[in-house]
Amino acid sequence: MPRMLAPAFDPERFRREARAVVDWIADYWQTLEPRPVRSQVAPGDVRAQLPPHAPDEPEPLAAVLADLDRVIVPGLTHWQHPAFFAYFPASASGPSILGELLAAGLGVQGMLWSTSPACTELETHVLDWLRELLGLPERFASSGMGGGVIHDSASSGLLCGLVAARERATHLQSNRHGLTQTDRPLVAYASAAAHSSFDKAARIAGLGSEWARRIAVDSRGCMDATALAAAMDADVAAGRIPCFVCATVGTTAAGAIDPVPEIAAVTARHNAWLHVDAAWAGAAALCPELRPPLVAGAEAADSWSFNPHKWLLVNFDCHALWVADRTSLVQALATRPDYLRNAATDSGGVIDYAEWQVPLGRRFRALKLWLALRMLGAEAIRGRIRAHVAWAGEFASWVAADPRFELLAPRSLSLVCFGLRAGDAASRRLLDRLNAGGTAFLTQATVGDRFALRLAVGAALTERRHVEAVWAELSRLADEAAQTA
Ligand SMILES: *Cc1c(COP(=O)(O)O)cnc(C)c1O
């Protein structure tokens, strides 16, 4: 006799177990502070504690949670820790996590409007809200030719922008797609300080690394628009087609902001696509007083993007991409097989977001953005961004006032790059010692040709006292790090 199938959905059991998991998460947040920020395990330590084979028989949730505590948590770097100042933040919030849970609970696929109309319409709507909150130009609103879409990451947003640009530069209004043997080389441009996803996108889109040009930056790390113009002119003279320019608003190393209006003027001369990557800094445009440099030139951009999952209190993954005209994006990515045909698509009156992204299937990511915006309210999010910027400003002033330290770039929003005057080796030792202590976690960047420690304030649980504490610790370790090892 075959056993009865155990139900995968047992609402009563789910109620009970979900409460236990939610309690586990709330306990985790409450006990984060004393934990070492960065995982202390060595490669292989986690797997060595896991059984070699998957179980045949069901195990209780309690056993899994026990292993979560015993095996998994020690192998975590705690990104929500209040003293997490590394990379860029991945700031989550209770409401966004509830949205994530709802998305999983509903389990719908939003690839086409018809596969779950609310999934598409909420996304379009929430991105219209967000466009307005950031003060982005009307051309990115869904009421015109443009609109917004949620991707997993800024890397995907950039890739889709590049693919749309490639389509526009080659065969818009033809039935061919992608590159053909006979096309002249297409060239893409970004600054030397732009994110590495630019190079990855050029490889994936088929341009190749040879035609992904890195343009020189000035001493602050901002793209030199004159050098861009020269590179584009030279490519045209050599018979190549300048196709795509990625401007960065808030570089990953030091938060530098490219001169987007000047870049836009150069880009327009060649009819190339202008993409703005504001992955981290874009969130600050929510605050009107911080906005002007962040959205400058946006009215000339073909696509503009940022990561709510970095600094807008929405848990990973949530990347917002707006396009001014969706035609070439859809032309590049739409496939329309018979098995997906439906009257709504045929009518041309709906958005099918599968045609705005690489995968076919898609999660209901708009829910977490919707819950975060509604349950926190824009004003509370602004308040937190302002606090982070203010604390980073104080931190930068402490660095500047201490003769052992120096700022290696102007503070950008909530990001401070600094080092020891004793030199790069000393700065490196300081970072290693700080991180080995476990009370805080910072990462490094190369700024100019210097090794910089990078303090990025933005974790949702961070308070001013955590910024003060990391400064106290850095000051305490500075003298010993400055002495040669
Ligand atoms: C973080 C970052 C990215 C990459 O973000 P993902 O969403 O992880 O792909 C791209 N560009 C900039 C400027 C970034 O800071």
Side-chain angles (χ1 to χ4, degrees):
M1 263 290 279
R3 277 191 301 180
M4 233 173 61
L5 284 181
F9 282 127
D10 175 341
E12 292 313 318
R13 177 178 165 188
F14 182 76
R15 273 183 225 287
R16 214 169 45 241
E17 293 179 342
R19 286 194 184 108
V21 169
V22 167
D23 281 340
W24 188 95
I25 295 170
D27 290 344
Y28 171 74
W29 292 341
Q30 278 179 334
T31 54
L32 262 176
E33 189 153 357
R35 298 175 198 253
V37 187
R38 204 171 49 145
S39 170
Q40 315 285 311
V41 303
D45 282 358
V46 174
R47 290 197 64 179
Q49 299 178 75
L50 297 170
H53 306 292
D56 273 326
E57 297 303 324
E59 296 181 52
L61 175 66
V64 180
L65 291 182
D67 281 353
L68 199 60
D69 284 319
R70 185 179 63 83
V71 181
I72 304 299
V73 171
L76 297 178
T77 288
H78 302 293
W79 283 68
Q80 307 307 319
H81 195 290
F84 183 96
F85 300 110
Y87 311 107
F88 278 132
S91 66
S93 63
S96 76
I97 292 165
L98 296 179
E100 185 75 60
L101 183 60
L102 286 171
L106 295 172
V108 301
Q109 275 282 356
M111 51 203 180
L112 308 177
W113 177 88
S114 67
T115 60
S116 251
C119 183
T120 295
E121 293 194 16
L122 185 68
E123 183 162 329
T124 307
H125 201 77
V126 170
L127 285 185
D128 277 344
W129 279 4
L130 202 51
R131 178 200 69 79
E132 189 178 68
L133 283 172
L134 298 184
L136 287 171
E138 189 74 35
R139 67 201 304 244
F140 295 119
S142 66
S143 50
M145 291 302 291
V149 58
I150 302 177
H151 282 186
D152 53 358
S153 69
S155 304
S156 296
L158 199 158
L159 173 63
C160 289
L162 177 53
V163 164
R166 187 189 67 192
E167 201 79 358
R168 193 174 78 176
T170 49
H171 1 265
L172 200 55
Q173 315 305 340
S174 85
N175 286 321
R176 294 190 304 154
H177 302 286
L179 293 174
T180 63
Q181 300 292 336
T182 53
D183 284 323
R184 286 184 288 150
L186 300 177
V187 189
Y189 311 80
S191 89
H195 193 264
S196 59
S197 51
F198 168 72
D199 305 292
K200 203 190 258 192
R203 289 186 214 168
I204 299 171
L207 273 65
S209 45
E210 195 181 351
W211 308 126
R213 295 208 190 290
R214 293 290 198 146
I215 304 299
V217 292
D218 65 16
S219 60
R220 293 164 307 155
C222 309
M223 191 196 285
D224 175 349
T226 313
L228 173 68
M232 293 179 100
D233 288 342
D235 281 320
V236 171
R240 297 183 279 264
I241 304 173
C243 138
F244 177 84
V245 177
C246 172
T248 309
V249 168
T251 57
T252 312
I257 296 174
D258 283 345
V260 182
E262 289 170 46
I263 291 170
V266 174
T267 305
R269 283 213 299 275
H270 296 284
N271 237 336
W273 182 286
L274 177 59
H275 175 77
V276 176
D277 174 4
W280 159 72
L286 210 66
C287 305
E289 76 281 12
L290 300 173
R291 180 179 304 154
L294 303 175
V295 304
E299 66 285 349
D302 295 289
S303 46
W304 202 99
S305 66
F306 88 110
N307 280 340
H309 69 230
K310 275 184 172 155
W311 200 12
L312 208 78
L313 299 171
V314 178
N315 63 292
F316 193 85
D317 52 355
C318 185
H319 171 72
L321 171 74
W322 287 272
V323 290
D325 180 346
R326 52 201 187 224
T327 312
S328 59
L329 178 64
V330 169
Q331 176 156 328
L333 299 176
T335 50
R336 308 207 173 162
D338 287 342
Y339 45 80
L340 295 177
R341 266 199 86 166
N342 66 88
T345 298
D346 289 346
S347 78
V350 298
I351 287 176
D352 290 326
Y353 275 128
E355 303 181 343
W356 297 45
Q357 64 172 21
V358 174
L360 172 64
R362 61 201 322 274
R363 307 180 331 98
F364 198 166
R365 291 196 188 89
L367 280 170
K368 58 187 169 189
L369 197 50
W370 193 45
L371 266 76
L373 290 173
R374 288 188 63 180
M375 293 174 63
L376 297 167
E379 201 48 31
I381 302 174
R382 285 189 197 103
R384 201 166 286 266
I385 288 171
R386 286 179 178 130
H388 296 159
V389 170
W391 300 334
E394 285 187 82
F395 182 92
S397 71
W398 301 330
V399 169
D402 188 317
R404 299 168 300 169
F405 284 87
E406 62 184 318
L407 287 173
L408 293 174
R411 173 186 58 87
S412 175
L413 301 168
S414 62
L415 177 66
V416 184
C417 291
F418 61 100
L420 285 173
R421 288 189 193 276
D424 289 356
S427 293
R428 209 181 284 270
R429 281 195 295 275
L430 177 60
L431 180 65
D432 288 345
R433 278 173 207 192
L434 177 84
N435 287 341
T439 58
F441 181 31
L442 271 67
T443 46
Q444 76 288 336
T446 304
V447 176
D449 56 357
R450 296 289 304 277
F451 176 92
L453 291 86
R454 235 172 125 273
L455 178 97
V457 185
L461 294 169
T462 302
E463 297 169 21
R464 185 176 177 279
R465 67 189 169 88
H466 299 107
V467 179
E468 278 183 301
V470 71
W471 172 246
E473 186 68 357
L474 285 162
S475 298
R476 190 178 70 76
L477 295 169
D479 289 329
E480 115 190 30
Q483 282 148 27
T484 37

